[in-house]
Amino acid sequence: MAHTGHQSMRRVLRREIAGTIGLLADEHDFTAMRRYRSFTFDDHTTYLDQVEALLRTRAEQGTHTTVALFDPEEYAEFCTETGLEPDIPSSRTRFTAELAATGAAVPYEGQPLTELVPELIDEAVRKATWEYATTLLAQIGTCACCGEDIGRTSFARATDLLTRILDTAAPGERHLVCSVSSKPQALVAVIRAEQDPDGATRLDETEALEFATVLALGIATRSPGGLVMRTSAPDTTDRVYGWRLRGDGLEPLTAGEVFDAYCTDVISGDLVSPESGVDYCTPPDLGDGLGHGGTASDGRLH
């Protein structure tokens, strides 16, 4: 009886343990891992099918699982830095545990891999964008005129702008995109927010941090860029408006400029049909001149 009781308790405890699976999302990464003899899969499709079956089984058992993006190059570097033998499963387990804390990961909630993999890749891109923008901000240094840390000042400005944009938006769902023309490629950040019945704005704090960081980099480096907001609410017309980055402030786009941006194919440059039920308009005033290409009198960068 005591032995049976111990087994039952262990089964209960297993349901309390969260796990992480490192996923080789594409064929190239899968092929790279096949150089290790201890990695016994030889077909990527079969591998993905087995991962999905395992995820379903764990979910049916009431076990929470996080899926992390497994990068073979990062794994090899990890093994070199830690002195681990890469061709044994326990080393891959150690690396996967590290990914759970520091890498791109999403929770498995019953979605098929065809939905989960794009979510995982989007998360990886978001994380890489934020890390890259943070690094560049930290490297800018201090202002030669006033001695202020330019990155920190720009981040404070970006946070203030984001708050004002969300506070002046119409009630309902808000979808805000920021793009900054940075080398070697443009940086893009997205934030989604909703308004509670009492008027409070609900948003993801991580998204807000990433968004403010990308916007701050555009402000600090005076890079070309822009922001576009789309608001949606039941029984109302969607509203789309935006701003371009201008110095350390924002300059509102005209309704025609927003229309052109939304109705032009970004790849071919050809015109596309506008959406029905969408109002392309000028943005609301952000106050203190911040929505009209100016800056607040107490926050100018030198």
Side-chain angles (χ1 to χ4, degrees):
M1 287 290 292
H3 178 67
T4 302
H6 290 163
Q7 286 183 330
S8 297
M9 284 188 287
R10 282 195 291 270
R11 282 196 294 269
V12 171
L13 285 173
R14 277 197 292 269
R15 292 198 294 269
E16 302 291 330
I17 300 173
T20 302
I21 293 177
L23 180 68
L24 296 161
D26 61 46
E27 187 81 38
H28 179 268
D29 288 344
F30 178 84
T31 301
M33 287 301 294
R34 291 194 61 200
R35 68 178 180 267
Y36 301 119
R37 288 184 297 176
S38 60
F39 185 78
T40 57
F41 287 96
D42 57 12
D43 179 77
H44 189 230
T45 300
T46 301
Y47 161 82
L48 292 177
D49 289 342
Q50 292 300 313
V51 168
E52 189 161 18
L54 176 60
L55 289 170
R56 286 198 302 268
T57 298
R58 288 176 59 84
E60 291 167 358
Q61 295 172 345
T63 303
H64 175 79
T65 308
T66 298
V67 182
L69 200 61
F70 195 105
D71 186 303
E73 292 185 7
E74 292 182 2
Y75 172 63
E77 293 173 0
F78 174 81
C79 290
T80 299
E81 293 171 357
T82 56
L84 294 174
E85 165 56 49
D87 200 3
I88 56 175
S90 61
S91 296
R92 293 194 287 275
T93 301
R94 285 274 300 275
F95 178 65
T96 300
E98 185 82 6
L99 290 177
T102 63
V106 297
Y108 175 70
E109 299 174 330
Q111 68 271 49
L113 283 188
T114 52
E115 295 180 9
L116 188 147
V117 169
E119 289 179 39
L120 190 55
I121 293 174
D122 286 346
E123 179 66 20
V125 171
R126 280 179 48 196
K127 184 175 179 61
T129 297
W130 174 72
E131 291 176 347
Y132 179 69
T134 299
T135 299
L136 291 184
L137 274 179
Q139 293 174 344
I140 293 174
T142 58
C143 175
C145 296
C146 66
E148 291 185 345
D149 185 289
I150 295 175
R152 185 177 295 112
T153 304
S154 298
F155 184 81
R157 174 67 56 76
T159 302
D160 182 41
L161 285 171
L162 175 58
T163 300
R164 291 170 184 251
I165 288 171
L166 293 176
D167 286 347
T168 57
E173 296 181 2
R174 295 91 173 266
H175 185 266
L176 182 62
V177 179
C178 174
S179 60
V180 173
S181 297
S182 176
K183 295 181 180 179
Q185 62 182 21
L187 300 181
V188 178
V190 178
I191 192 168
R192 300 168 185 82
E194 295 183 4
Q195 189 179 63
D196 287 334
D198 60 1
T201 298
R202 293 186 291 111
L203 50 80
D204 184 282
E205 292 185 1
T206 300
E207 282 189 356
L209 174 62
E210 294 166 349
F211 190 98
T213 303
V214 171
L215 178 55
L217 181 62
I219 293 171
T221 59
R222 302 295 197 274
S223 298
L227 294 85
V228 176
M229 167 71 88
R230 179 166 183 157
T231 62
S232 304
D235 304 319
T236 63
T237 300
D238 284 11
R239 302 181 74 239
V240 177
Y241 51 85
W243 301 262
R244 64 171 57 86
L245 285 175
R246 182 72 72 189
D248 56 358
L250 298 175
E251 180 179 85
L253 299 174
T254 66
E257 288 173 324
V258 175
F259 179 88
D260 289 343
Y262 254 73
C263 300
T264 301
D265 187 282
V266 295
I267 297 177
S268 66
D270 296 334
L271 294 177
V272 296
S273 299
E275 293 183 63
S276 59
V278 175
D279 181 17
Y280 303 94
C281 54
T282 56
D285 185 4
L286 301 181
D288 293 334
L290 287 173
H292 296 279
T295 60
S297 59
D298 60 352
R300 180 174 295 280
L301 291 175
H302 298 283

